[in-house]
């Protein structure tokens, strides 16, 4: 299982969005007609992120992908047995998401959640919009997301029971109470916390994209400072996943974390769940956006 794709509603696609997506992160935009959604590539997949210019800022959908057809069928069967109303996507919607098969349903806090199989691998190579070494995706998926929930304990249990996620660890700091969950070797693909730091229930706090080189992150950090892009958190290193990263504030009201060097969970039996009282080893100071 992996975080496969993400759909985001934005008030408008402006110059700051373009600077973050292309000048800092180096994503590739798929060709589109005027007014059409902006589909973004991060690897050999057709696309993994879609921005919809809707006049509002919100999460449109979160897409999780099963590794095999058998896993897809097993998870779908379990969802229906547990009373989750799943709708089968038609051919048009599967083409829009660039997957072989997909079902959608309401997740915790009303978040539209999708289960897919067979993400389309594009015949053309990924062409970043600036010189970067690429992103750490593959079996680990797009990256990770942190979302707030009105009932974090129930939401964590939902992902464990319905999608088979496993707890990586916990961090409690200031007013935040966060649980980190994994579904593949990535330290966490999902984190759930209580509403805090301006993030309400069902809202996206941040999306993390992991670079293949620390130099990509460093040069991106230089670009952020050169262009005056607001920082949510300065460059720093996390306690739990050991990611070295910084956080940019987007016009959509959530942050994008750009990092390198996150540790993985290769053996479940050898992994020890830890409880941390701080999210950082160093750095990650509040940026100008939150002064």
């Amino acid at each position: 299982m992996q975080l496969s794709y993400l759909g985001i509603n934005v008030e408008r696609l402006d110059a700051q969005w373009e600077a973050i997506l292309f000048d800092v992160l180096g994503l590739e935009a798929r060709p589109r007609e005027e007014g059409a959604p902006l589909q973004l590539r991060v690897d050999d997949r057709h696309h993994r992120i879609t921005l919809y210019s809707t006049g509002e800022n919100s999460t449109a959908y979160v897409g999780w992908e099963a590794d095999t057809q058998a896993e897809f069928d097993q998870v779908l069967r379990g969802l229906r047995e547990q009373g989750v109303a799943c709708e089968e996507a038609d051919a048009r919607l599967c083409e829009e998401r660039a997957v072989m098969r997909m079902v959608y349903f309401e997740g915790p806090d009303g978040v539209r959640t999708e289960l897919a199989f067979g993400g389309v691998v594009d015949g053309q190579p990924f062409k970043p919009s600036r010189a970067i070494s690429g992103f750490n995706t593959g079996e680990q998926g797009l990256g990770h997301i942190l979302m707030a929930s009105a009932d974090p304990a129930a939401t964590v249990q939902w992902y464990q029971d319905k999608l088979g996620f496993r707890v990586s660890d916990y961090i409690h700091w200031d007013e935040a109470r966060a649980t980190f969950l994994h579904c593949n070797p990535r330290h966490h693909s999902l984190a759930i916390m209580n509403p805090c730091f301006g993030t309400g229930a069902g809202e996206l706090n941040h999306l993390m994209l992991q670079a293949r080189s620390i130099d990509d992150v460093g040069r991106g950090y230089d670009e952020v400072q050169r262009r005056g892009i607001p920082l949510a958190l300065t460059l720093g290193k996390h306690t739990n996943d050991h990611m070295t990263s910084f956080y940019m504030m987007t016009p959509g009201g959530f942050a994008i974390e750009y990092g390198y060097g996150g540790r993985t969970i290769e053996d479940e039996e050898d992994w020890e769940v830890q409880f941390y009282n701080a999210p950082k080893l160093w750095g990650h100071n509040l940026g100008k956006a939150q002064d």
Side-chain angles (χ1 to χ4, degrees), residues 61-78:
Y61 51 82
V62 177
W64 300 97
E65 182 178 332
D67 295 330
T68 65
Q69 181 75 59
E71 183 186 26
F72 178 92
D73 291 337
Q74 180 182 14
V75 174
L76 177 57
R77 183 166 56 252

Side-chain angles (χ1 to χ4, degrees), residues 84-277:
V84 178
C86 301
E87 295 291 333
E88 190 89 25
D90 59 18
R92 180 200 61 79
L93 190 53
C94 285
E95 182 178 8
E96 181 181 317
R97 300 290 194 271
V99 297
M100 281 184 61
R101 190 180 174 196
M102 188 266 281
V103 296
Y104 55 94
F105 45 91
E106 184 177 298
D109 300 286
V111 176
R112 175 172 168 131
T113 305
E114 301 182 353
L115 174 67
F117 167 70
V120 173
V121 176
D122 198 277
Q124 298 299 314
F126 168 56
K127 298 176 182 178
S129 51
R130 76 171 176 94
I132 59 173
S133 57
F135 295 92
N136 184 12
T137 56
E139 68 173 341
Q140 295 186 30
L142 171 61
H144 77 236
I145 54 174
L146 169 61
M147 303 194 74
S149 173
D151 189 342
T155 296
V156 168
Q157 194 65 53
W158 189 95
Y159 280 98
Q160 290 178 296
D161 294 343
K162 306 296 190 295
L163 297 181
F165 285 33
R166 301 168 295 281
V167 172
S168 304
D169 44 43
Y170 309 89
I171 307 179
H172 291 184
W173 79 102
D174 298 333
E175 67 265 38
R177 302 292 180 265
T179 301
F180 298 80
L181 301 158
H182 63 277
C183 55
N184 57 57
R186 189 183 293 279
H187 175 273
H188 63 280
S189 294
L190 174 67
I192 300 295
M193 71 177 183
N194 54 302
C196 59
F197 306 142
T199 305
E203 293 179 351
L204 177 67
N205 175 271
H206 74 263
L207 162 69
M208 188 285 300
L209 298 176
Q210 184 175 347
R212 290 181 179 171
S213 167
I214 188 63
D215 293 334
D216 290 346
V217 176
R219 292 183 180 117
Y221 196 61
D222 285 347
E223 195 69 23
V224 163
Q225 295 177 314
R226 187 176 76 83
R227 293 178 174 274
I229 296 171
L231 284 170
L233 294 174
T234 62
L235 190 68
K237 186 172 183 177
H238 283 303
T239 51
N240 62 343
D241 68 353
H242 296 177
M243 186 81 71
T244 299
S245 64
F246 64 90
Y247 292 67
M248 298 169 281
M249 281 305 302
T250 73
F254 66 95
I256 295 180
E257 178 186 6
Y258 188 31
Y260 170 79
R263 61 176 173 167
T264 58
I265 300 175
E266 302 292 343
D267 189 332
E268 288 288 333
E269 294 191 5
D270 285 344
W271 181 256
E272 183 178 355
V273 176
Q274 301 280 4
F275 174 40
Y276 298 89
N277 65 359

